[in-house]
Amino acid sequence: MRHRADVLLKTFAAVLFVSSSNVALSATVAPKVKPDGKITSVSRHGVASRPVSRPVAALKPETLGVVGHRHRAVGVKEVVSAQMIKEEVPGTNALKVLGKMPGILFQSADGQGLDIWSQSLYMHGFLLNQVGVTLDGIPLGDQQYHALNGLNVMNALASENIGHMDVSMSAGAESVASTSNLGGSIEYFSADPKHKMGGQVNQTFGSNSTMHSFFRFDSGDMNRTGTRMFVSYMRNNAEKWKGGGNQFMQQVNAKLVQPIGEESQISALFDWGDLDQYQYQDLSFDMLHNGGGGIDNFIGTPNAYAKAYRLALAANNKPGGALPAGYGKMSDPYDASYYDGGTVERDYLGGLNMDFALTHRLHWKTVLYAQGQYGRGTWASPYPWYSSGLMPNGAPLFDQITSVHAQRGGFTSALHYNIAHNDISAGVWYEHYHVDEVRNAYYEPVLGQGSPINSMGKLPSPMANLWGDTFNSNSFTAFVQDTYHVRPNLNVHFGFKSLLQTVDGRETGNLSAYTGTDAIASGSVTTAKAFLPHISADWHFLKHHELFFDVAENVKSYPIAGYKMGASPFAMTQSAYNSMQSQGGLKPETNWNYAVGYRYMARMLMASLYAYHTNFRNRLQQVTSGPITNPYSAVMNVGGVTMNGVDAGLTVMPVKGLSIYNSISWNHATYDQDVTSGGVRYGTHGQQIVNYPRFMYKASLTYAWHGASAHIDTQYIGERNFSYIGDTHVPGYWVTSLGARYNFSELAHRSDRFRYLNHLTLSFNVYNLTNTQYISTMGENGNPMSGDDQSFLIGAPRQYFGSVAIEF
């Protein structure tokens, strides 16, 4: 039956028309519709300019929010509406929604995309930490696990509170507050409080005891000036789909909006987040083939600590050691399962957004923000660093916990001036952050002599400090840009960005018996680029037809991470750091991006063709081998990468309510030269970059009728290189999901007997309909130069979710 289902779904996908709604960067935002049916072009900051004579029937925001693939193209940006997010399981990570777009690859070990360790997103070959990300203008940093300079958007805003997302996969984004945007940007915008008092209650139940709850209250307009606010609470709790343990999140969001006159306003956003998640175990091909994809850590399973304890005794050749059943076939059974591994985060984020109309043509927009974070990642290690193979208390296990305390604050400020045929903007961004990161060791008890440490709870005093780092950073960017409206249907954009960032990193602790080195990296790195140009043009040359191009130079500041925690200058030993500095290998990543595209947009048909070319220089990568508890980890400059890609497709809307969407993406991104590591030369030249496929195909069929809607989505993710030389790769796979929703409002309006059903919505979703087993996230612990490594995760099996939502 499973084979027949796979064949039917693949046949369905094959007969769908090839489509895409991918576009490049635009110099304009959504147009305003005037009462006479004409539109007024709007600059990036929202100041009206002059009338545009071309037809606008297809540009009404409410229409475009659901036409095509339920997002709309505005110039060379994708604007993803809240409606597209609502079609997913409530609480789903917004990045997973973006994963439906052409050229974007989102991977996670769970169906909702909430497992923070396994989250991975690539956009046209750029990892998420190479993309600029903001929320209401607040920079969110490089988005890596326990990002030291930002906050994962999942922890910053509940998905139900996202108003829309502006996504650019193109070359330039000089006005976005980021030091990491090598390629494109994702700008999140929170929904505004409603003008009418009311509320919203959502409740979701699903597989693996999933329970998602969301409550929101809107004050409505509280006075004649329009002051209004909302406050919401979100709670998500689910058991892991394999192994044991749960994944828990709760979050409070609040937003206040104060209009000032007709064109100005002040708004404030607040976020508190609490995350406690047991993570899935990282796998290797040896583990997968000889132990199976169901291998996971022991926590939450019968006799969990006893099994982990005896396995640790076996790993250290101590009496009483024993392997669990089925583990003997693996070449490294001791790293296949640990007692536990998890993540804890406590986040606070606040932002004040001020938008003032100084004159009708001149706007001043400023954002002030601050963030605090406590986070920790933990796992129980079976490898004590003592020569006896046991801790001083006689146990073969200890908990090693990496803790992060981070504070950051800053501001952005920009002036936007509209005159004649020009929309001119200039602005600055400044941020300071301070981070203390330490890894400590904690005693686990001798079997039968106490309870093991609760990684999610209050910790005892550590028995040793294994290593520590402290970081201080100052970042400054400035930009100037001008969009010149040559004709009503032709816009030319030019701008540039300047960037300066300094980071000082210092060792605060080092137990050499554990780290294997006398000193971990300390020093100071600076990223400085005075002139990063960006030029683009957008030409609507015939009715429904559009051409555009986009060219920019970009730089990414040095990534910052603690010892062996990422591809960072500070993640290596002091000697490796000094060697990299002296040999000139420590340079910031830079690139030139080129993009060109064509789009056709009509009532029943939307088609596009988008091509891009990128030249990377000084690409920093993390290369690992050995056990994940204490791997050999090297940060290497793998040199240049040349990337060429195409997205193409067609969206067909043959009848009212029916939309057939497809996209095909092809990416050829290869390393420009071989790499030498440990005295060995590896043939990386000409190999596809790791973790990102050369080919992706995505399709969706959506139908809406009155209050009912249904959709089925399928994706094919092509083969991906796991090792840098391409001798180990992950096979391609299909994954299909479906969903259905019914809103009772129309039924309630037709009959008084059903009035109580007004604003009631029921929904049902199935993830991984065909129950495909596939490898999802890759390279979370880095990638090997050759062969195997314990650095990928299995995707979730078939899961079911049902939801009820009420608005009042």
Side-chain angles (χ1 to χ4, degrees):
M1 290 296 293
R2 177 177 169 183
H3 174 72
R4 291 181 60 191
D6 282 337
V7 171
L8 287 171
L9 286 165
K10 293 176 183 179
T11 303
F12 155 77
V15 299
L16 290 177
F17 298 102
V18 177
S19 86
S20 162
S21 47
N22 185 40
V23 288
L25 177 70
S26 174
T28 60
V29 296
K32 293 182 178 178
V33 181
K34 298 179 72 175
D36 59 6
K38 297 181 179 179
I39 65 171
T40 300
S41 68
V42 180
S43 68
R44 286 178 180 238
H45 52 277
V47 179
S49 59
R50 67 200 184 291
V52 180
S53 59
R54 55 189 171 88
V56 296
L59 292 178
K60 294 179 181 178
E62 292 301 320
T63 301
L64 285 171
V66 295
V67 164
H69 195 45
R70 303 172 300 282
H71 62 265
R72 52 193 169 96
V74 181
V76 285
K77 277 189 178 180
E78 294 281 1
V79 181
V80 180
S81 69
Q83 178 65 29
M84 189 172 175
I85 300 173
K86 288 181 180 179
E87 292 181 2
E88 299 296 323
V89 177
T92 293
N93 190 337
L95 292 176
K96 185 179 177 185
V97 178
L98 297 183
K100 294 184 176 183
M101 297 172 64
I104 296 182
L105 173 68
F106 176 77
Q107 302 281 267
S108 177
D110 70 304
Q112 290 178 281
L114 300 180
D115 182 82
I116 194 166
W117 169 248
S118 68
Q119 290 177 22
S120 172
L121 183 136
Y122 283 85
M123 177 188 291
H124 281 167
F126 296 96
L127 189 58
L128 187 57
N129 66 6
Q130 299 170 321
V131 175
V133 183
T134 63
L135 168 62
D136 289 350
I138 301 170
L140 294 182
D142 62 17
Q143 296 290 287
Q144 64 184 1
Y145 178 72
H146 278 331
L148 304 186
N149 67 339
L151 180 62
N152 189 304
V153 69
M154 181 184 75
N155 297 333
L157 188 71
S159 60
E160 289 93 341
N161 289 328
I162 296 177
H164 70 279
M165 296 177 281
D166 287 354
V167 183
S168 169
M169 289 182 278
S170 192
E174 66 265 40
S175 61
V176 174
S178 172
T179 61
S180 59
N181 54 317
L182 279 174
S185 61
I186 304 172
E187 298 173 82
Y188 296 88
F189 295 91
S190 61
D192 278 344
K194 297 178 180 179
H195 290 278
K196 183 178 179 181
M197 181 183 292
Q200 179 182 348
V201 178
N202 295 352
Q203 184 62 55
T204 300
F205 304 92
S207 299
N208 311 116
S209 302
T210 296
M211 289 190 65
H212 176 83
S213 305
F214 178 80
F215 308 93
R216 170 168 155 164
F217 170 73
D218 285 81
S219 69
D221 290 344
M222 295 185 287
N223 51 42
R224 287 184 293 179
T225 66
T227 306
R228 60 194 189 277
M229 65 168 292
F230 78 71
V231 61
S232 70
Y233 172 75
M234 182 278 294
R235 185 182 189 275
N236 199 98
N237 192 28
E239 298 297 319
K240 290 166 57 186
W241 62 265
K242 67 172 181 176
N246 69 322
Q247 298 193 316
F248 174 81
M249 289 181 61
Q250 61 179 341
Q251 187 174 49
V252 173
N253 290 145
K255 186 175 182 179
L256 172 72
V257 173
Q258 175 60 64
I260 302 174
E262 295 184 358
E263 296 185 62
S264 303
Q265 75 169 30
I266 297 175
S267 64
L269 181 70
F270 171 78
D271 165 73
W272 170 79
D274 173 19
L275 180 146
D276 299 270
Q277 292 183 343
Y278 287 104
Q279 257 69 67
Y280 295 93
Q281 174 63 296
D282 305 284
L283 300 185
S284 65
F285 285 102
D286 172 67
M287 294 167 60
L288 180 63
H289 296 153
N290 296 311
I295 288 178
D296 200 43
N297 292 328
F298 297 123
I299 183 76
T301 65
N303 302 312
Y305 189 68
K307 287 185 289 188
Y309 195 92
R310 294 189 179 101
L311 182 59
L313 288 174
N316 292 280
N317 297 311
K318 298 299 178 181
L323 296 180
Y327 279 47
K329 294 181 180 180
M330 292 179 283
S331 61
D332 182 14
Y334 312 112
D335 290 300
S337 299
Y338 304 124
Y339 171 63
D340 71 352
T343 299
V344 172
E345 274 199 24
R346 306 288 183 265
D347 298 297
Y348 298 87
L349 177 68
L352 186 64
N353 207 311
M354 297 171 284
D355 189 353
F356 299 125
L358 303 181
T359 70
H360 180 65
R361 294 183 176 275
L362 180 63
H363 271 237
W364 178 28
K365 186 171 184 178
T366 297
V367 179
L368 305 174
Y369 65 92
Q371 178 205 335
Q373 180 187 82
Y374 166 73
R376 68 176 183 248
T378 173
W379 64 93
S381 173
Y383 299 109
W385 61 92
Y386 292 91
S387 58
S388 65
L390 298 174
M391 297 294 288
N393 68 342
L397 286 169
F398 72 98
D399 236 33
Q400 51 184 15
I401 297 179
T402 308
S403 300
V404 175
H405 289 82
Q407 303 87 35
R408 69 184 182 111
F411 69 89
T412 69
S413 188
L415 289 170
H416 309 277
Y417 186 54
N418 172 255
I419 183 172
H421 293 266
N422 296 275
D423 295 327
I424 302 171
S425 301
V428 297
W429 168 46
Y430 171 77
E431 178 179 280
H432 171 78
Y433 71 76
H434 172 80
V435 178
D436 292 308
E437 185 173 19
V438 298
R439 176 171 293 176
N440 290 324
Y442 298 80
Y443 281 122
E444 288 285 13
V446 174
L447 186 63
Q449 298 183 13
S451 299
I453 289 175
N454 177 7
S455 299
M456 303 292 110
K458 184 177 180 180
L459 298 175
S461 298
M463 59 85 58
N465 173 236
L466 303 178
W467 58 259
D469 283 307
T470 185
F471 303 103
N472 286 280
S473 171
N474 291 284
S475 301
F476 176 82
T477 68
F479 76 92
V480 176
Q481 62 184 20
D482 178 26
T483 301
Y484 176 53
H485 304 281
V486 183
R487 296 181 57 83
N489 62 337
L490 176 61
N491 299 319
V492 177
H493 174 88
F494 176 77
F496 73 91
K497 177 180 180 178
S498 300
L499 181 149
L500 175 64
Q501 184 193 57
T502 60
V503 181
D504 184 75
R506 299 294 164 185
E507 173 195 298
T508 59
N510 176 41
L511 183 60
S512 59
Y514 173 85
T515 62
T517 181
D518 292 334
I520 60 179
S522 294
S524 181
V525 293
T526 298
T527 307
K529 288 287 183 178
F531 185 73
L532 295 167
H534 170 216
I535 184 170
S536 66
D538 187 10
W539 179 34
H540 294 262
F541 60 97
L542 290 172
K543 183 179 180 181
H544 306 307
H545 296 268
E546 180 184 6
L547 282 173
F548 51 85
F549 78 85
D550 204 15
V551 179
E553 183 184 16
N554 296 309
V555 66
K556 182 184 188 305
S557 62
Y558 292 105
I560 305 304
Y563 185 58
K564 296 186 180 181
M565 298 293 287
S568 167
F570 300 104
M572 60 183 86
T573 66
Q574 186 68 55
S575 60
Y577 175 88
N578 295 339
S579 175
M580 207 169 183
Q581 284 272 34
S582 63
Q583 295 177 15
L586 192 57
K587 298 178 181 178
E589 295 178 296
T590 60
N591 65 17
W592 275 95
N593 287 327
Y594 308 85
V596 62
Y598 162 80
R599 185 187 308 117
Y600 176 86
M601 297 184 67
R603 187 178 64 86
M604 299 178 64
L605 188 69
M606 294 194 299
S608 67
L609 181 67
Y610 175 78
Y612 56 94
H613 171 81
T614 301
N615 293 115
F616 288 96
R617 295 189 299 274
N618 304 310
R619 187 146 175 161
L620 293 178
Q621 304 269 225
Q622 184 182 21
V623 181
T624 60
S625 61
I628 63 173
T629 49
N630 196 15
Y632 170 76
S633 180
V635 179
M636 300 184 61
N637 185 332
V638 298
V641 172
T642 299
M643 181 165 64
N644 296 288
V646 176
D647 298 328
L650 180 71
T651 301
V652 180
M653 296 155 284
V655 296
K656 183 179 179 181
L658 177 63
S659 173
I660 304 171
Y661 159 84
N662 289 249
S663 71
I664 288 180
S665 301
W666 177 82
N667 176 282
H668 185 270
T670 58
Y671 299 106
D672 292 341
Q673 58 270 315
D674 292 342
V675 171
T676 299
S677 175
V680 179
R681 186 180 181 88
Y682 292 93
T684 55
H685 178 251
Q687 289 294 328
Q688 179 77 7
I689 60 174
V690 294
N691 305 330
Y692 189 71
R694 188 158 287 183
F695 177 80
M696 289 188 288
Y697 171 73
K698 303 176 183 180
S700 177
L701 177 67
T702 304
Y703 184 69
W705 182 76
H706 296 286
S709 65
H711 65 91
I712 182 168
D713 305 306
T714 189
Q715 297 185 14
Y716 175 74
I717 307 301
E719 181 180 283
R720 291 168 286 165
N721 274 354
F722 183 62
S723 65
Y724 285 95
I725 68 170
D727 62 343
T728 313
H729 56 264
V730 169
Y733 67 90
W734 289 84
V735 64
T736 301
S737 300
L738 62 82
R741 303 174 73 241
Y742 187 78
N743 185 286
F744 288 86
S745 296
E746 184 173 333
L747 180 63
H749 292 158
R750 281 189 289 178
S751 173
D752 288 343
R753 291 182 301 171
F754 301 105
R755 184 182 303 170
Y756 66 94
L757 295 176
N758 197 21
H759 303 303
L760 172 67
T761 301
L762 300 180
S763 62
F764 178 73
N765 293 79
V766 182
Y767 173 74
N768 195 358
L769 182 65
T770 59
N771 204 27
T772 300
Q773 186 182 72
Y774 65 96
I775 293 173
S776 59
T777 309
M778 298 166 52
E780 67 274 12
N781 293 306
N783 292 79
M785 292 302 302
S786 175
D788 198 3
D789 194 27
Q790 193 171 346
S791 192
F792 64 76
L793 294 152
I794 302 296
R798 183 191 297 119
Q799 295 179 329
Y800 303 91
F801 303 92
S803 306
V804 57
I806 301 174
E807 295 187 25
F808 54 89

